[in-house]
Amino acid sequence: MIRLDQIILREIRLPLREPFRISSGVVHERRIGLLELYDASGAVSWSECVAGEWPNYSSETIDTAWLAIEAYVTPRVLGVRFDAPGDVHAALEADFRGHQMAKAAVEMGVWGVAATQAGVPLARLIGGVRERIAVGISLGIQASPKALADRASAAIAEGYHKVKIKIEPGRDVEFVRAVREALPSAELMADANNAYTLDNAATLAELDALNLMMIEQPLAHDDLVRHAELQRRLRTAICLDESITSLARAQDMVTLGAGRIINIKPGRVGGFAPSLAIHDYCEQQGIPVWCGGMLESGIGRAYNVALASLPNFTLPGDVSPSRRYWEQDIVTPEWAMAPDGTMGVPLDRPGIGVEVDMARVDALTVRRAVMRVPA
Ligand code: OSB
Ligand code: MG
């Protein structure tokens, strides 16, 4: 049983070691929402809001999520009794539309609290079966095909199991081909973040020759129908990211044939309950899933690692080690990748599996709000 009596919300600023460029924008420094959730039983957990600074990935931002968490999500959960963490998502969905990342930040925190309260690792609470997960890397758009191929080769040499290449019109076939020539047998994929239309189908079909695992979200962020048309014209599997915002959208993808793989990001779908539902549905349908990333701090990463330990997460995720993103993460131990390109799922302690460096979080905090059950 869960009954939260306090949520502390804050924003920290964490500079990336290098800018991350995708077709729809570039980020130098992450503005990250962090939550501390306090249960009446005494159990506490941290969680993270993955919304970015600018509404280029989804319509949510750190600023809209801040408002939504304060004004819509928190009043719906504080002081309310939930029999199980899986009940929170439905309650929020029944209450108001959209704001999936704001909802997810609180919903996932409740799963963290429930794991702490039950004295079990988060991965175990949700039914995870893996002790280690395979790690992939997502490379932002680089200056030249040569620069990209060098970065990809270094990543494979480090042990990464998959290299994801960000593409956009003008920086696509030539760039991906350079990587394929440098790495003839590596697991490669491309992610377009909605940069194409059906008019570019011929360019995307040229990628068929490069033996990619999949092409992620080539068309509009909320489209399924055109992706189905494109999938009919491609041999390479389409993987959907932005378009899958709920279990219903995942079902629609299958019904329409709009893609053959799903990138699950719990923040995008509203939390762990819908992530688990999409995972189970895809498993029944023979659709592989993998865990995407939103350049999370070590707190959000803990949730992604737990999720990626579920059985149908059969492809390497964008769950890279702390050092790929930050000079110094905000958790101990930092997330590390072994030379074999895997990351350990923390199974030796209750909850999310990492300690938060409180002094560092305090030093990075730019705003803070405390919300309590009304007296
Ligand atoms: O499309 O998967 C994406 C980062 C920010 C926004 C969208 C995406 C990404 C990534 C980064 O690809 C994955 C990571 O966290 O390493
Ligand atoms: Mg993507």
Side-chain angles (χ1 to χ4, degrees):
M1 199 262 279
I2 301 283
R3 205 176 71 239
L4 299 183
D5 54 21
Q6 181 176 250
I7 295 177
I8 302 178
L9 172 63
R10 54 171 96 213
E11 178 185 337
I12 63 163
R13 307 262 164 115
L14 206 54
L16 286 161
R17 289 179 65 186
E18 58 180 21
F20 189 75
R21 181 178 299 279
I22 68 177
S23 63
S24 58
V26 61
V27 50
H28 297 263
E29 180 187 63
R30 286 284 282 115
R31 292 176 56 192
I32 300 174
L34 295 180
L35 285 73
E36 287 165 86
L37 301 94
Y38 295 80
D39 188 73
S41 66
V44 182
S45 187
W46 287 84
S47 69
E48 175 165 342
C49 180
V50 299
E53 176 166 16
W54 189 252
N56 61 317
Y57 172 80
S58 81
S59 60
E60 288 185 270
T61 67
I62 172 79
D63 296 305
T64 70
W66 187 281
L67 172 75
I69 290 169
E70 265 192 330
Y72 315 141
V73 184
T74 296
R76 182 63 188 82
V77 298
L78 273 188
V80 177
R81 181 200 151 113
F82 292 99
D83 289 332
D87 297 342
V88 174
H89 173 70
L92 292 172
E93 283 304 287
D95 216 32
F96 64 97
R97 302 284 169 266
H99 301 281
Q100 305 304 347
M101 292 176 182
K103 287 172 176 169
V106 172
E107 197 260 6
M108 290 160 74
V110 171
W111 285 91
V113 167
T116 310
Q117 195 184 55
V120 298
L122 180 61
R124 287 281 184 253
L125 181 72
I126 63 172
V129 294
R130 282 170 226 285
E131 289 180 11
R132 307 196 65 82
I133 60 166
V135 177
I137 190 169
S138 173
L139 293 178
I141 294 172
Q142 306 289 315
S144 68
K146 166 89 169 74
L148 175 65
D150 289 349
R151 286 301 308 271
S153 301
I156 292 295
E158 265 188 80
Y160 284 101
H161 283 257
K162 178 187 85 176
V163 175
K164 171 163 126 179
I165 300 162
K166 292 289 185 176
I167 58 169
E168 65 183 2
R171 291 191 176 101
D172 42 40
V173 181
E174 195 198 345
F175 279 62
V176 179
R177 187 180 294 124
V179 179
R180 177 49 81 209
E181 281 168 3
L183 298 164
S185 61
E187 301 269 45
L188 304 179
M189 61 170 291
D191 184 2
N193 291 107
N194 344 297
Y196 296 82
T197 68
L198 276 178
D199 295 340
N200 313 117
T203 303
L204 293 167
E206 285 182 56
L207 294 172
D208 271 343
L210 299 174
N211 189 26
L212 302 181
M213 302 168 83
M214 66 194 102
I215 301 173
E216 186 176 341
Q217 196 73 36
L219 308 180
H221 69 97
D222 55 354
D223 173 80
L224 290 170
V225 171
R226 291 160 190 80
H227 278 102
E229 173 60 30
L230 181 64
Q231 183 67 90
R232 284 191 282 276
R233 298 198 216 167
L234 295 182
R235 262 195 300 118
T236 311
I238 289 177
C239 167
L240 293 180
D241 173 356
E242 285 90 331
S243 287
I244 306 300
T245 51
S246 64
L247 171 63
R249 292 292 84 75
Q251 293 165 334
D252 294 348
M253 181 194 90
V254 173
T255 303
L256 294 169
R260 301 185 191 139
I261 299 174
I262 291 180
N263 164 346
I264 298 184
K265 293 178 181 174
R268 189 194 65 224
V269 300
F272 262 21
S275 297
L276 296 170
I278 293 169
H279 166 272
D280 294 353
Y281 169 74
C282 287
E283 190 167 42
Q284 289 154 19
Q285 295 291 321
I287 301 278
V289 303
W290 53 280
C291 186
M294 292 292 289
L295 311 173
E296 286 90 348
S297 83
I299 294 173
R301 201 160 300 281
Y303 288 87
N304 289 347
V305 170
L307 198 61
S309 74
L310 291 168
N312 194 38
F313 280 78
T314 51
L315 299 169
D318 288 345
V319 187
S320 302
S322 300
R323 280 304 162 92
R324 186 263 178 278
Y325 310 93
W326 325 111
E327 280 308 330
Q328 194 192 331
D329 207 334
I330 57 171
V331 300
T332 46
E334 295 205 342
W335 294 97
M337 181 174 78
D340 70 352
T342 65
M343 193 180 273
V345 179
L347 295 170
D348 59 342
R349 62 183 106 172
I352 67 171
V354 283
E355 294 296 322
V356 175
D357 182 342
M358 211 44 226
R360 186 159 155 70
V361 166
D362 276 339
L364 295 167
T365 296
V366 295
R367 57 173 160 163
R368 192 168 171 276
V370 180
M371 292 155 285
R372 289 200 187 88
V373 178

